[in-house]
Amino acid sequence: MINIEIDDGSGFCFGVTTAIKKAEEELSKGRTLYCLGDIVHNSMEVERLADKGLITINHKELERLHDVKVLLRAHGEPPETYSIAKRNNIEIIDATCPVVLQLQRRIKKQFENSNSDSNSQIVIFGKNGHAEVLGLVGQTNEKAIIIEHFDEVRKLDFSKDIYLYSQTTMSLDEFHRITDYIHGHLADNARFESYDTICRQVANRMPNIATFAAKHDLLLFVAGKKSSNGKVLFRKCSQINNMSHHIEKAEDIRMEWFKNVKTVGICGATSTPKWLMEKCRDYIIEKIEKRQDD
């Protein structure tokens, strides 16, 4: 029998757990609840909550709603979202992650302090178009510069002051590479301040998941394809274990992967529910037992 282990360190982070708890509490009262964007980047969990009555909307649909309740997910939102809600008499249930909320405030304060200074650049290391990044850029009236990869650091003006922040789920190693490059290219009269705003609950998963991946013959990484955190963590798993497979659900599993495999590790992103990893484990056991019966 194959030994299957689920990684204790995988699963929802604090921010996602809180957002889902708030949604479930409201839905349990039998009230209509909207969520601005997918509550988490995991289609299976989105479907589970939709079955409970959660209605996912986009920003255009938000503008047409009035006198309803809308949950803001852990990623956070730009100031314009709150303005629309106030204008349309929408009650906001704010599930913005405290780490993200603190980061928004820091960037807003920095922008207000340097708004009249054309010699300064607020830079955000993050994924272009990601919900959290949109919320962060919104604190600067869309004037912040986004760097998605290390190679893009060269587009900065090193003769001007640079204030660097990071999306909370980005790679810590790449953030340090960017800061080192800026230090090495900054003009003598320019100022550089970097703020390591990467969530440690997320960053610490990198070494932990690498250790977990090395323990097993085969690794199943369960995460939604839209999860930025999932892409980073799966890349690490693949580097450590070349028998790593990125799946979204149990039905993605192919039993031919398990030939000559004795140990299987199941892990996931900060947006991966524990129940989904357990379902993948049960799927494998069921298939193996059925094969033995045949």
Side-chain angles (χ1 to χ4, degrees):
M1 188 69 175
I2 293 175
N3 179 264
I4 304 172
E5 180 186 6
I6 295 176
D7 177 29
D8 287 337
S10 290
F12 290 152
C13 64
F14 170 79
V16 172
T17 299
T18 301
I20 289 173
K21 184 179 178 181
K22 286 186 176 184
E24 289 180 326
E25 286 176 352
E26 194 64 31
L27 292 169
S28 69
K29 300 171 186 175
R31 297 171 182 169
T32 300
L33 180 64
Y34 297 88
C35 181
L36 187 54
D38 288 345
I39 192 169
V40 62
H41 287 151
N42 186 281
S43 59
M44 302 293 286
E45 182 65 7
V46 170
E47 287 174 18
R48 185 185 74 85
L49 290 170
D51 289 341
K52 289 179 175 287
L54 186 64
I55 303 169
T56 302
I57 58 170
N58 58 35
H59 286 81
K60 285 187 177 179
E61 290 168 322
L62 177 73
E63 293 179 15
R64 296 195 292 267
L65 289 175
H66 293 79
D67 311 311
V68 295
K69 284 190 177 183
V70 175
L71 183 137
L72 303 185
R73 55 194 176 167
H75 301 94
E77 284 290 323
E80 175 62 17
T81 297
Y82 294 89
S83 298
I84 293 170
K86 187 175 181 180
R87 190 164 62 242
N88 292 3
N89 195 35
I90 292 172
E91 182 180 341
I92 290 293
I93 298 176
D94 202 336
T96 303
C97 173
V99 178
V100 174
L101 196 58
Q102 183 183 35
L103 175 55
Q104 286 184 348
R105 289 168 179 162
R106 291 176 71 173
I107 291 176
K108 183 178 180 179
K109 185 176 180 181
Q110 182 67 63
F111 176 70
E112 289 173 348
N113 290 341
S114 59
N115 191 21
S116 59
D117 184 6
S118 60
N119 197 46
S120 67
Q121 305 162 94
I122 294 178
V123 181
I124 297 170
F125 172 45
K127 185 180 177 182
N128 236 317
H130 188 279
E132 181 186 330
V133 174
L134 294 175
L136 299 178
V137 174
Q139 310 303 317
T140 68
N141 290 342
E142 316 301 321
K143 293 181 180 178
I145 300 169
I146 301 172
I147 289 179
E148 192 164 346
H149 306 289
F150 169 77
D151 293 342
E152 295 179 1
V153 71
R154 296 179 180 88
K155 70 183 181 182
L156 299 181
D157 187 341
F158 297 104
S159 67
K160 295 182 178 181
D161 296 343
I162 298 173
Y163 301 93
L164 175 67
Y165 298 85
S166 176
Q167 179 183 340
T168 58
T169 55
M170 297 300 281
S171 163
L172 192 57
D173 289 341
E174 194 162 10
F175 178 79
H176 288 153
R177 283 184 70 198
I178 291 170
T179 57
D180 290 344
Y181 187 92
I182 295 173
H183 274 299
H185 292 79
L186 197 69
D188 292 337
N189 62 339
R191 182 178 183 178
F192 174 47
E193 292 182 10
S194 64
Y195 303 94
D196 177 357
T197 51
I198 295 171
C199 176
R200 285 306 182 268
Q201 191 181 6
V202 174
N204 290 340
R205 292 196 181 191
M206 189 71 79
N208 293 341
I209 212 164
T211 301
F212 183 79
K215 286 172 57 180
H216 298 285
D217 298 331
L218 181 141
L219 196 80
L220 295 178
F221 186 86
V222 189
K225 299 297 184 183
K226 293 190 288 185
S227 169
S228 297
N229 168 251
K231 290 174 184 176
V232 172
L233 289 174
F234 178 67
R235 194 178 306 125
K236 173 59 72 174
C237 290
S238 299
Q239 291 168 355
I240 302 297
N241 187 329
N242 61 9
M243 290 283 284
S244 297
H245 298 274
H246 186 173
I247 61 173
E248 285 194 285
K249 56 188 183 298
E251 290 74 19
D252 294 337
I253 296 171
R254 298 289 172 262
M255 294 311 295
E256 57 264 28
W257 296 341
F258 301 93
K259 186 178 181 180
N260 299 323
V261 168
K262 294 181 179 179
T263 65
V264 176
I266 300 177
C267 55
T270 56
S271 55
T272 305
K274 275 277 201 258
W275 66 262
L276 184 54
M277 289 183 278
E278 291 168 354
K279 190 173 181 180
C280 291
R281 176 200 60 201
D282 296 344
Y283 180 90
I284 297 167
I285 294 171
E286 182 183 333
K287 288 289 185 181
I288 291 173
E289 289 177 347
K290 185 177 180 181
R291 181 188 296 171
Q292 289 173 343
D293 291 340
D294 294 342

